[in-house]
Amino acid sequence: MATRPPGVYITEKSSGVRMITGVGTSTPAFLGYTEVPDGEPAEGAPRPFDESERVVPQPVRGWQEFADRYSITPLRDELAALLKKQKAGETPTPDELKRIQVLQRCFTLAEAVYGFFANGGTSCYVVGFLGPDRAVTDLAGDADARTGLGGLETVPEVTMVAVPSLWDMTVAATQSATPPQPALPAGAALIGQVLAHCTKQRNRLAVVDAPPGLLADPLKEFVGTLASPDTDDAAFTALYYPWVMVPGIDGVPRTVPPSGHLAGVWARTDAERGVFKAPANQNLRGVLDLPVLLTDDQNGTLNDKGVNCLRVFPGRGLLVWGARTRSSSRDWRYLNVRRLVSFLSDSIQRSTTWAVFEPNDDRLWGTLRHSVVSFLTDQWRQGALLGRTPDEAFYVICDRTNNTPDTIDAGQVICDIGVAPVRPAEFVQFTITQLAGQPGGKS
């Protein structure tokens, strides 16, 4: 042993405790139309993605990165030149009218990404679809080629999926001054593909835009064509209405789907409060107005249908006024509950892979139990779980009661977990009683 002077010495040793780390919850994936313009980028500008790069998931960490990589400046300049000719009184050719529609379709995706970052988002993934002049019938793509929704299967950090261009994808562009109306049945089919992906992955929700231009009553009819509220798909659906009016990233005001802005609100709420907080009663940033103003009765009816409404309130501005999935199940009615359970499941799954191939005995069960209890206790302290004590908030069973000789022989470790998520105070009720002529009162 080396000679040391008198003093206090500290030796650090590993506790052997396997900690569970919470996964991220604030990363959306946006799918939409994109186009590679002709010509070279400006000198010194980042290289834009080529066609092969645009159709696979690409991480984006800021608006400027998206604008550079997806050629927003040249597309903006081309659209501005065409619109300037119209304002000058020149009659556009049929090809020019179609080109305006195509460029506007590219800006739908761009406005969603801009709205995400403007509302507090920090990073996202983008999956492009080429050929904005054509309709799209298949969002599934190919998992091996990493295209479409299939490409997102290899990106586990994605927790929201939005397709801002979905309603543009239902019809091809036309040589007309008036864009074609979206096809509702085709849109419902595309939404079904997104829901199937989210339900399969289990760790992400679909942020769905209602069809453009619908009033409240026709919207209720359309909602009836989507996945039934008693299905698993409905629990992974967040449907928002109406669209929003924005100033335009190119200075041209337009009405766009709200999914990008809503994804930003989800990310902002997660950062400020946590995934257990319902992403509602929050301001939408970067929005000028709503094309449809709802009454309380209309809002209530749509809320019962699982449609989350955007409202304008005097003195408070434009707010997200709904936090439901489309599920009729009491367990999965609220967005924050579905997202919290997905967060807990994903965190536990990813942080316990060390247990695979370990000796299946009491020591392993005790370590797993301790890890999960520590993780859930931390979540309870943050306010994610309901209960005055951890025992009221959750339970964890991983011992000989559920790990029997049969399960051990089958190579299985069973860990049963139950949690009591907090639910939002959706209806706050006050009872006000008028008191008159009370003794001692001042006249």
Side-chain angles (χ1 to χ4, degrees):
M1 180 177 179
T3 302
R4 294 189 294 184
V8 177
Y9 298 90
I10 297 175
T11 300
E12 295 181 353
K13 289 187 177 181
S14 173
S15 66
V17 176
R18 304 277 189 165
M19 301 302 296
I20 293 177
T21 304
V23 298
T25 58
S26 307
T27 303
F30 295 109
L31 292 82
Y33 280 131
T34 181
E35 185 173 82
V36 180
D38 297 330
E40 296 295 325
E43 185 176 351
R47 180 186 67 82
F49 289 132
D50 60 28
E51 290 188 355
S52 64
E53 293 171 317
R54 294 193 184 209
V55 297
V56 299
Q58 296 289 354
V60 176
R61 298 174 183 83
W63 163 248
Q64 192 57 53
E65 180 181 358
F66 175 85
D68 291 336
R69 292 295 200 173
Y70 288 86
S71 314
I72 297 304
T73 298
L75 294 177
R76 178 198 64 196
D77 293 343
E78 183 182 358
L79 178 60
L82 291 171
L83 295 178
K84 184 177 180 180
K85 289 179 64 177
Q86 277 188 313
K87 288 183 178 180
E90 297 184 34
T91 302
T93 66
D95 286 343
E96 288 177 334
L97 290 174
K98 184 175 182 180
R99 185 61 183 164
I100 290 174
Q101 287 186 26
V102 167
L103 292 171
Q104 293 283 20
R105 289 179 172 211
C106 293
F107 274 86
T108 301
L109 173 63
E111 294 285 3
V113 175
Y114 182 85
F116 169 69
F117 288 113
N119 279 276
T122 56
S123 65
C124 65
Y125 280 82
V126 175
V127 180
F129 282 78
L130 302 174
D133 58 324
R134 302 190 298 268
V136 174
T137 58
D138 182 18
L139 290 174
D142 188 310
D144 293 332
R146 301 190 66 233
T147 59
L149 293 168
L152 296 177
E153 294 182 11
T154 61
V155 190
E157 57 264 41
V158 167
T159 56
M160 320 169 212
V161 179
V163 189
S165 299
L166 185 141
W167 292 106
D168 287 335
M169 292 176 172
T170 62
V171 288
T174 61
Q175 295 179 329
S176 170
T178 303
Q181 291 298 309
L184 299 189
L190 293 178
I191 291 173
Q193 294 177 28
V194 180
L195 300 185
H197 167 80
C198 293
T199 305
K200 177 183 177 182
Q201 298 302 118
R202 311 298 296 181
N203 70 331
R204 57 196 62 171
L205 269 71
V207 186
V208 179
D209 301 299
L214 285 190
L215 297 178
D217 287 338
L219 176 61
K220 288 186 290 184
E221 296 180 12
F222 169 76
V223 169
T225 67
L226 301 179
S228 174
D230 59 359
T231 62
D232 208 14
D233 285 357
F236 288 87
T237 311
L239 177 61
Y240 286 94
Y241 172 82
W243 285 29
V244 293
M245 299 166 65
V246 298
I249 56 176
D250 55 346
V252 178
R254 53 174 59 91
T255 301
V256 299
S259 54
H261 295 71
L262 269 303
V265 170
W266 288 24
R268 185 173 80 223
T269 305
D270 290 353
E272 294 177 351
R273 298 287 297 278
V275 70
F276 59 88
K277 166 66 173 68
N281 202 359
Q282 298 281 332
N283 288 100
L284 276 181
R285 301 170 184 169
V287 174
L288 298 175
D289 204 353
L290 298 177
V292 177
L293 299 180
L294 296 169
T295 66
D296 289 343
D297 288 343
Q298 290 173 325
N299 189 171
T301 301
L302 291 174
N303 192 62
D304 288 341
K305 296 284 186 181
V307 179
N308 298 311
C309 297
L310 308 179
R311 300 285 304 274
V312 176
F313 292 95
R316 296 203 61 199
L318 200 158
L319 299 177
V320 183
W321 209 244
R324 288 191 176 191
T325 68
R326 288 200 56 252
S327 177
S328 59
S329 168
R330 177 180 173 274
D331 291 337
W332 307 118
R333 179 180 301 163
Y334 295 110
L335 276 176
N336 59 305
V337 174
R338 176 64 268 177
R339 297 186 71 222
L340 173 64
V341 173
S342 292
F343 161 74
L344 297 177
S345 301
D346 214 22
S347 300
I348 293 171
Q349 180 183 18
R350 292 198 208 177
S351 294
T352 55
T353 54
W354 60 266
V356 180
F357 301 119
E358 288 292 311
N360 195 353
D361 56 14
D362 293 273
R363 183 179 301 177
L364 175 63
W365 306 336
T367 303
L368 284 171
R369 189 169 59 247
H370 185 273
S371 297
V372 176
V373 168
S374 297
F375 175 64
L376 293 180
T377 300
D378 185 51
Q379 298 303 312
W380 168 73
R381 286 174 177 154
Q382 293 179 38
L385 302 177
L386 184 66
R388 293 166 295 179
T389 65
D391 287 341
E392 293 181 356
F394 63 86
Y395 67 80
V396 180
I397 302 173
C398 187
D399 52 30
R400 291 186 179 276
T401 61
N402 56 348
N403 287 279
T404 65
D406 289 340
T407 62
I408 294 173
D409 289 343
Q412 299 175 349
V413 178
I414 308 298
C415 186
D416 293 320
I417 303 170
V419 296
V422 292
R423 286 172 166 77
E426 191 176 25
F427 304 100
V428 180
Q429 180 173 325
F430 293 95
T431 300
I432 300 176
T433 303
Q434 183 178 6
L435 303 178
Q438 292 296 306
K442 294 182 180 180
S443 58

